[in-house]
Each structure stands twice: as C-alpha cells, then as structure tokens.
Amino acid sequence: MTDTLQRFLMDRSDVRGELVQLDAAWQSLLKSTRYPEPVKRLLGEAVAATALMAETIKFDGNLTLQAQGDGPVKLLVVQVTSERTFRATAKCDETVEAGSLSEMIGKGQMVITVEQGESRSDYQGVVPLEGERLQEALAAYFERSEQLSTGMWLAANTDRAAGLMLQKLPESQVSSDDDLWSRVKQLADTVKADELLTLGGTEVLHRLFHEEEVRVFEGVEYQFRCNCSRNRIANTIYSLGEDDAQALVAERGSIEVDCQFCHQQYRFDAVDVTQLFASDSASSSDQVH
Ligand SMILES: [Zn+2]
C-alpha cells in the first residue's frame, strides 16, 4: 500500500507513533515542478512532517506549515486538510545547495497554523528555525510548546516522502517500563533514510521495534489534491472591485492567474470579468425584490 500513514502504540499506549510514506501522491505533486534537488528533499520532508502532525490533532480545515526567509529558499508552504489531502509549494533560487535548515531558509520564520473549525478558534505556533534539519526544529517545538517528548525522522527523494514520529504521551500512567521512551527513541535513531525511502511500512517498524510490544492500526490514505478552483479565483478577482478588475483587463487583455500549488492556469477575459460583476448585481437586485 502506498501513500499511507500508519499509527501505532507501544507498550499499552505510553508512546504513540506514526509512520508516513507518500509515493504516487508525492510524485504527482512534483510532476509539474522544477525545484532543485535539495529543495525537493526539504519540501518532501515538510510534507511528511505536516501529515504526521495533522494526524495527532483534531482539526477541521487546513493545517499549514509555512517557512519564509532570506535564504535560497524564500518560501515553503505545505497544507494538509482534515480530509487527508495535501498540497505544497516552494519559491527558491534557480540553484540551491544542500545545507542545514537555517542555511536554506535563512533568517526568517516558520509558522504552523491550524484551522480548528467553527467551534474553536484557529491556532498558530512559531517554530524557531534552528537545528540542522527540519525534524530537529519540529521536535524541539513540540517539546517546548506542547511539553511532549517528541522524536521525528524525515527523509525524501523524488520517489517518496517519508517520516516517522514518536511521542511520549503525557497521560501515560507510571509504567513498569521506565526506560521505554529512551529505548524506543534510541531504536528509532538508528533508522536510515534509505530504509524509510525504500522499505514498506510494516518492515520499517519490524526492523526497528521487533523486540517491543507494538500495536499497529490500519493505515489511512493521503492524497495530493489542490483545492483551487475557477470559482475561488473568481472570488479573488471579485474582491479587487469592478474598476480595478476592468483596468487589469484593459491593460493586459485578460486576467491570468496560476495556482501556486498545482500550477493550474486560470484565464478571465473581458467577457468573463464583465459577467462576474454583472451576475453579482443581478443577484443582489434579486435580494432586494
Ligand atoms: Zn491549485
């Protein structure tokens, strides 16, 4: 099974874990992009990490990881929805050398935003851009902001984006197995990028934790899907106001918008734009009568 996230529990739920491996979905995200290799790797790791985070929380809408800085990678955005779809994009220099997280993003900030649905307000957390890799920055963030001991191991190439996460649950009872957390974290530290990127999920978990008591839940599927639409773009044009929208059409012949996530092109010509505002006045006059 590909494009799967598997949750598991260890030793009567003292430690929870997740393993995500995105293959076809990750490949189709990359298909329309031309990022340098190191950016593909960083983006893949960010996609895997965001899926891992999404599965640990209850939310309704989007979970977004966004990094912005003055380094060779100017912008990195990954969005995972509560329907288990994801999309991602990056803005970067034409050539980017592989480097540490702070070398690639530069001075800037990384923010996690969670839309929690109508009943609860949105949540935002700032992740300091520190550590050699994204996995270290995120693990440190969980330790600090959620007081959850966390380990994260990420890997990506052009075939697969993969990640493993372990968290020590705060509500865990005084366990007879005191060193479970340090033991399983040490085991996970031995995982090689190559194993995450080539082996099946069950095999990875078996290799690492075969001496532990692991309860693996049925995997859930993640899909690459962009939720852009002609309608959404129309709303954006509409928000410009009729005068500005028509001025743009007059200047360029049409308004063309590329989705930054999936690179779908949307084109609105003079007739489209006129209709957009005409249908609005028609519907608002309907409301009057
Ligand atoms: Zn799109």
Side-chain angles (χ1 to χ4, degrees), residues 80-289:
V80 171
T81 70
S82 39
E83 269 83 60
R84 297 200 174 98
T85 66
F86 66 91
R87 59 181 190 165
T89 188
K91 281 202 180 84
C92 60
D93 294 346
E94 221 160 282
T95 56
V96 177
E97 301 278 321
S100 69
L101 180 67
S102 50
E103 281 165 351
M104 289 179 79
I105 308 281
K107 276 205 183 63
Q109 65 165 359
M110 183 153 61
V111 178
I112 295 172
T113 311
V114 185
E115 290 165 36
Q116 304 196 99
E118 280 171 15
S119 53
R120 297 162 70 196
S121 59
D122 294 351
Y123 164 87
Q124 204 164 58
V126 177
V127 184
L129 283 164
E130 58 193 23
E132 183 66 18
R133 297 184 54 191
L134 180 64
Q135 61 192 43
E136 290 163 12
L138 289 173
Y141 167 79
F142 276 106
E143 303 257 15
R144 211 168 15 225
S145 71
E146 315 279 309
Q147 262 101 56
L148 279 180
S149 297
T150 302
M152 207 185 257
W153 297 265
L154 305 169
N157 58 19
T158 51
D159 292 328
R160 183 182 274 184
L164 171 70
M165 180 160 86
L166 293 179
Q167 274 184 332
K168 185 180 180 194
L169 291 175
E171 66 267 26
S172 60
Q173 309 299 325
V174 180
S175 168
S176 53
D177 190 355
D178 285 337
D179 66 354
L180 172 73
W181 172 248
S182 59
R183 196 170 66 235
V184 293
K185 198 155 171 280
Q186 250 171 33
L187 290 170
D189 271 330
T190 66
V191 76
K192 295 181 182 68
D194 196 44
E195 292 175 304
L196 288 173
L197 293 174
T198 56
L199 301 178
T202 315
E203 204 179 342
V204 172
L205 294 180
H206 179 75
R207 277 199 191 190
L208 295 174
F209 306 122
H210 58 92
E211 282 176 7
E212 302 294 332
E213 203 182 299
V214 183
R215 191 146 55 96
V216 182
F217 296 89
E218 203 180 330
V220 291
E221 198 190 341
Y222 272 77
Q223 290 179 311
F224 165 59
R225 198 194 306 148
C226 192
N227 51 8
C228 70
S229 68
R230 193 170 170 85
N231 241 343
R232 280 182 185 231
I233 307 288
N235 282 335
T236 311
I237 295 173
Y238 182 76
S239 67
L240 295 173
E242 184 164 15
D243 291 349
D244 284 359
Q246 291 291 9
L248 270 177
V249 174
E251 189 188 312
R252 302 178 195 173
S254 64
I255 300 177
E256 280 171 30
V257 181
D258 282 9
C259 173
Q260 60 168 340
F261 288 100
C262 68
H263 308 284
Q264 169 80 40
Q265 292 184 324
Y266 297 95
R267 185 170 172 274
F268 291 77
D269 63 15
V271 177
D272 296 327
V273 171
T274 306
Q275 263 175 1
L276 187 64
F277 290 96
S279 62
D280 167 68
S281 61
S283 65
S284 55
S285 65
D286 280 345
Q287 282 166 6
V288 173
H289 297 296

